[in-house]
Amino acid sequence: MSKYTEDDLREELKTKEYEYGFYTDIESDTFPVGLNEDIVRAISLKKGEPEWMTNWRLQAFKSWKEMMEPEWANVSYVKPDFQAISYYSAPNSKPKYDSLDEVDPELLATFAKLGISLDEQKKLSGVAMDVVVDSVSVATTFKKTLGEKGIIFCSISEAIKEHPELVKKYIGSVVPQKDNFYAALNSAVFSDGSFCYIPKGVRCPMELSTYFRINQAGTGQFERTLVIADEGSYVSYLEGCTAPSRDENQLHAAVVELIALDNAEIKYSTVQNWYPGNAEGKGGVYNFVTKRGLCEKNAKISWTQVETGSAITWKYPSCILKGDNSVGEFYSIAVTNNYQQADTGTKMIHLGKNTKSTIISKGISAGRSQNSYRGLVKISPNADNARNFSQCDSLLMGNECGAHTFPYIEAKNKTAKIEHEATTSKIGEDQIFYCNQRGIDTEKAIALIVNGFSKDVLNKLPMEFAVEAQKLLEISLEGSVG
Amino acid sequence: MLKIENLHASVDDKSILKGINLEIKAGEVHAIMGPNGSGKSTLASVVAGKEEYEVTKGSIIFNGEDIEDLAAEERAHKGIFLSFQYPVEIPGVSVTNFMKTAINETRKAKGLEEMPAKDMLKLIREKSELLEIDRKFLSRSLNEGFSGGEKKRNEIFQMAMLEPQLAILDETDSGLDIDALRIVANGVNKLKSKDNAVLVITHYQRLLDYIVPDFVHVLYNGRIVKSGGKELAHELEEKGYDWIKEEVNA
């Protein structure tokens, strides 16, 4: 056997096809392409929404028309043609399924391929699944157990009908309709998503989990997620996804809003593995997401994310620390390979007194990718004794990728304490040789080094997710060292 | 066990080894000494299979097999171990995790199942006691913030865990105080058997007071210019390397 050289690695990296690149043909109910007021109305009608919701959407659409796409991010791409996208697609507009037997067998086969079959998931103790395939929830499990505690976990469409008072009060309260271009678009056309409400003093007994998938050629995906943790409650929410391989770009513009009322805690974890495009940088998902949480008094929100997919990522899960003594955390691993571009980070807005925030960001760049951390720490005049600690580490593989850090700090209170640490390192040939000499081949050595680098963040993920995330890191970086 | 014949090697087209001949049999301890820049560490790296070094002539036979085309990890699987002069840091990877991976990858290469956790723990306990290593040390990130002595002791701990047939100790004595030196040497001596062999690479005679060689070779300018018993090491210590250089150049 000949030596495994750097060139071999490069070659393998280039030919490595996306593992989950397949396409499931499920008979779909899809709108014609284009966007106008009628389409917005039609989406609302299709979903049987009340008038207030239709109007809310129309308001958003009106704002969106006046807005411009943001261009400040450190990414370059061909802007999507918003009139060439179909804004609604549902796998067969049947009513919801009561059991797995009723679910399209082809869909189940897809899940089996991904290794996340519902059967398996159902058996996984402590994990309830709300599976979102192409915008419509097809199965919800563990609903009963949750129901006994008064926990509501359902699709946002269902929540609009069944719990209008909660949705009306909180939707758009953290991410307003005209917050930004993509949030406005999402507000106008969101197709579905998840809704979760944890009543006062209730500790959610299981990790709530949603798998998102994009599965319809040319269909934009506009998920809307709303999580409300009432006073003194706790919930851990997991979100993860994979998508089929395809040639044309797919736009994804989700909005996630978290509300943690007094003394509540929300832990929101994401593993994102959307199709990143092929080795030439063709295709791949555009991921323009707005995620934000609001903390009331003594509340805590933790965002943990492992981002390995998408051609373009534009994502800044943020915390508004409104209440005194509230805590915001952001733990992130962002991996880019080939021609992927990621501009991701967080905003920690300190409004209340004694508020604390922690940012740990680990960026890993390989191939010809560009990986940027962009973060804002803002201390308002009233936020006495606010604390922030930020750590941004970059790991580079090869000589053709880039890592960038854009930390912004705005402190308007003299008592603020802000710390920022940043490192950049490269996987060295000496490290690889050291591992090789101990019998560990180069692939495994990279996985080991990357996992070590990412450990601080991986440790924050719930157990079952951490394993999946480690696997993803390995898949994403297979054969990429220079 | 190891037979090196007329080995020539270069890095970046610069010729460093210029015809090495060396045979090591099971149960033997060999020492290679020589002035700085004579090619000692290069020899260690070439045997271990570091890619930057190109073998231009000659052969390395290990247990009857020419290993020139084998990757570094394949040589490791066959039982070649290199204790590094400058062990690298791998942040976030604990010593235990690293060893677990190394042992299981080696077992996998041999078609064996992963070592059960219970056996692994037992092995770790056994070997860490042998080398007087505090168990807390094993959960630290590999070589990160280790003192010179800790790094070297960790190398020998890894050697103890992997139980190689041929252990090459590259300047293991550098950066060690006398106590650490004794512990490391004791460890090596305890691991020595009639089935394995040790190749000690050193600049000074000091380490050889503790790990007593059967053969001492002097490497100079890419060639072994003198071989002898352990008394040769004492002679070098006394007289330095200049007389060797003069002999060669004469």
Side-chain angles (χ1 to χ4, degrees), chain A residues 1 4 431 434 438-439, chain B residues 51 69 77 82 89 155 158:
Chain A
M1 201 183 142
Y4 197 59
Q431 283 177 315
Y434 190 84
R438 298 300 186 251
Chain B
E51 277 176 18
D69 288 338
H77 297 154
L82 172 61
E89 298 179 0
E155 291 292 290
Q158 294 184 31

Side-chain angles (χ1 to χ4, degrees), chain A residues 1-6 429-431 433-442 444 448-449 452-453 455, chain B residues 50-51 69 72-74 76-77 80-82 84 88-93 98 101-102 105 142-143 155 158:
Chain A
M1 201 183 142
S2 65
K3 279 178 197 166
Y4 197 59
T5 66
E6 224 176 279
E429 285 179 5
D430 285 348
Q431 283 177 315
F433 178 60
Y434 190 84
C435 294
N436 289 162
Q437 210 300 306
R438 298 300 186 251
I440 302 165
D441 68 23
T442 302
K444 192 83 190 170
L448 195 70
I449 294 164
F453 174 78
K455 201 170 90 180
Chain B
K50 194 166 186 179
E51 277 176 18
D69 288 338
E73 66 269 21
E74 293 171 304
H77 297 154
I80 295 175
F81 178 91
L82 172 61
F84 286 76
V88 298
E89 298 179 0
I90 304 187
V93 177
F98 184 67
T101 309
E105 286 297 299
L142 192 67
N143 293 320
E155 291 292 290
Q158 294 184 31

Side-chain angles (χ1 to χ4, degrees), chain B residues 114-122:
Chain B
E114 288 200 349
M115 186 183 277
K118 201 181 80 207
D119 297 358
M120 185 75 74
L121 283 172
K122 198 172 148 246

Side-chain angles (χ1 to χ4, degrees), chain B residues 155-243:
Chain B
E155 291 292 290
I156 303 305
F157 168 69
Q158 294 184 31
M159 170 185 156
M161 291 289 290
L162 293 164
E163 298 178 333
Q165 273 197 56
L166 173 68
I168 304 168
L169 312 182
D170 188 7
E171 306 269 359
T172 294
D173 49 339
S174 70
L176 289 189
D177 62 31
I178 198 75
D179 292 329
L181 186 71
R182 197 176 293 133
I183 291 167
V184 164
N186 277 342
V188 173
N189 287 330
K190 282 181 199 162
L191 296 167
K192 233 168 55 183
S193 79
K194 64 175 178 27
D195 300 319
N196 60 29
V198 182
L199 177 60
V200 182
I201 290 173
T202 182
H203 188 73
Y204 303 103
Q205 188 265 336
R206 195 170 71 138
L207 179 65
L208 303 179
D209 284 342
Y210 298 95
I211 304 173
V212 182
D214 301 304
F215 302 94
V216 174
H217 312 277
V218 181
L219 192 64
Y220 176 61
N221 201 16
R223 286 191 193 91
I224 289 176
V225 293
K226 204 171 184 62
S227 294
K230 63 176 183 248
E231 59 294 340
L232 179 57
H234 290 283
E235 204 178 342
L236 288 167
E237 183 76 0
E238 225 169 275
K239 306 204 291 196
Y241 287 106
D242 286 351
W243 64 281

Side-chain angles (χ1 to χ4, degrees), chain B residues 11 40-42 60 64 71 97 99 115 140 145 147 163 236 244:
Chain B
V11 62
K40 299 192 299 288
S41 286
T42 299
I60 307 169
N97 186 18
M99 272 296 96
M115 186 183 277
R140 285 170 61 187
S147 69
E163 298 178 333
L236 288 167
I244 298 259

Side-chain angles (χ1 to χ4, degrees), chain A residues 219-232:
Chain A
T219 304
Q221 183 92 355
F222 304 94
E223 301 289 343
R224 186 96 197 180
T225 302
L226 182 57
V227 178
I228 303 151
D230 211 329
E231 291 173 22

